[in-house]
Amino acid sequence: MSTQLHAIGPLDGRYRNRLQQVSDHFSEFAYIKYRVHVEIEYFIALLSMQPPLPQLAEVQPSPTLLEKLRGIYLNFADKDAEWVKQTEFKGGAEGGPPLATNHDVKAVEYFIKWRLTQMSSEPGMEKLTKVKEFVHFGLTSQDINNTCYPLMILNFYRSVYLPKLAQVLCVLDSYARRWADVPLLARTHGQPASPTRMGKEIMVFVHRIKSQVENLESVPHCSKFGGATGNLNAHKVAYPDRDWIAFCNALIDGLGLQRLQCTTQIEHYDNMAALFDGTRRINVILIDLARDIWTYISQGLFKQKTKAGEIGSSAMPHKVNPIDFENAEGNFGIANAILEHLSNKLPISRLQRDLTDSTVSRNVGVPLGHTMVALDSMLKGLGKLLLDEAAVSADLNGHWEVTAEAIQTVLRREQVDGAYELLKEETRGAAVTQESITRFIDKLEKHDTIKLDVIASLRAISPSNYVGFFEPGEALEKWAESKLSAKSRKAVLEAIVSQVRGREGGGGAKE
C-alpha cells in the first residue's frame, strides 16, 4: 500500500517528497530521537558531576564511554524507534517490559536502560547496569518534552526555515535592483495613483520581511527543566547539598537553549507563542506579496515562463495560470490558522499542568510544513516571472491623470490660488490624456503670476518620470548568507543565480 496515496493530509501525501527536512525535525521518529538525545545528555551530565555523586563514582565518563553513549542517539535508527513504539503500545520488545507502558517517555527510558544493559557486556562497561536507574533520574516527562520541542524548533529554524526564507529574500532583492528604474503605475483603492517603480514595490517586501526576521531571531528558545512541578523537589530530597539549579542551567545552556527559572510542570510556552506569531506575521507579508504578484500577472504586467508538457487548464489550452502564487497563498493560510491556535492554546494550562499542550504540541511540524511548501511555491513562481516592460509602460502612459498631483503641487509652490481645484475640475472622473494635460498647461500661460520656466517644467512632467525617490541600498547577500549553513549556502546561491540572472525573454518581456 502506498503511504502517500493513502495519507490523510497533503503533507504526507502529495507534498511528502518536498518535506524530508521537515520530517527530519518533526516526525514521530525525530521526536523520539530528540528525546533520547536529551535523556542521554542528562545522564552524561550526571556522570560528569564534580565531585561525583556517590552512587556514580565508579563509572568514569571516559571519552570512549561518552562516544558510545552519544552513539545511542547519533546512530538512532528506525528499528530503535520501533522498539520504543512497541514498548509504548504493545510491550514485549527485546529487553523491554512485557506489557505496554502506554507512556511515550517511559518507553524511551526503558529503551536507554536496555541499551546500557547491552553495552555493559563490553570490556570496561560492566558497571553501567549498576547506574542505569539514573536514566531519567528525578525528572518528569515534560523536562524531556519541553527541552525536545524548543531544540527541534531551534534546529529547524536555523537549518531549514531561515535559509529558505533568505533565498526568497535574495530573489526579491535581486528583482528589486534589476527593476529599480522601471516606472510603474501605482494603484490605491484599485484606481490609478502617483507612479512608483517596480523595483521599489518589490523592495517594500524585502524590508518588511527582513525586519520581521530580526524580530523573530530576538525570541529566545527556552526549556523547562525542573522536575514534577518546577521546583527540583526530587533532586533536592535525594542530594540536598548539590546546586541543582546551576547544574540544570549548565545542561540546558550546553544544548543551546535557555532554561526557564520559574515554571510549573511545563514550559509556559510564551516565547514559543511569540515565535509562532512572528512566523505568522512573515507569512502574512508573503500572502500580501503573492496577491500583488498575482494581480500584476492578471494585469498583463508579468508574463510567466512556460514548461513543456504542463497544462494550465483542462478546458482552456491557452491558459498559463499563476498557480504557484495561489498555492503559496493557500498554504500560508493553512499554516497561519494552526500557528494562531498554537500560540493561543499552548500558554494556557490548568493549574500546574493539564495534558492539552501534549496533543497540541505534536502538531508543531504541520504549520511549519505548510510554510515550507508555500516558500517552495513562492520561489518557483518567482523563478517564472518575466517583466513585460512594454505592457508596464503602456499601462502607465495610458493614465496621464496621475501627473495632476505633480502639477498642482508645483502650482501651490508658486502660490497659485485654487491650484488643487483647477486640477480637480480638469481631471476628476474625466478621460485624461497627454493632450488634455498639455491643453491645461497651455491655459496657464494666461496667468501673469506663473513664470515661463515654471510652465516649461510642468511640460516636462510625465507619468514615467514622476516617480519620486528610490535607492535600493546595500545588497542583501551578506545578510542572507548569515542565515545559511555552510552546507546550504552554495546550493541556495546557485538557485538564486538560476532564477534571477537567466536569459532575457523576447517580446518586451524581461526576467
Side-chain angles (χ1 to χ4, degrees), residues 43 47 58-72 113-132:
F43 184 65
L47 292 176
E58 294 185 48
V59 180
Q60 296 299 315
S62 66
T64 299
L65 175 59
L66 297 185
E67 181 181 357
K68 287 186 175 294
L69 288 173
R70 290 191 168 111
I72 295 175
K113 288 179 176 179
W114 174 58
R115 291 300 305 273
L116 293 182
T117 300
Q118 288 182 313
M119 289 168 58
S120 67
S121 63
E122 301 177 26
M125 305 285 173
E126 296 85 0
K127 294 179 181 179
L128 281 176
T129 55
K130 294 182 179 181
V131 298
K132 65 181 182 180

Side-chain angles (χ1 to χ4, degrees), residues 408 411-412 415-425 440:
Q408 64 99 6
L411 294 179
R412 292 175 74 171
Q415 298 181 311
V416 174
D417 288 340
Y420 176 88
E421 287 72 20
L422 287 172
L423 266 295
K424 177 183 175 183
E425 180 180 346
F440 174 80

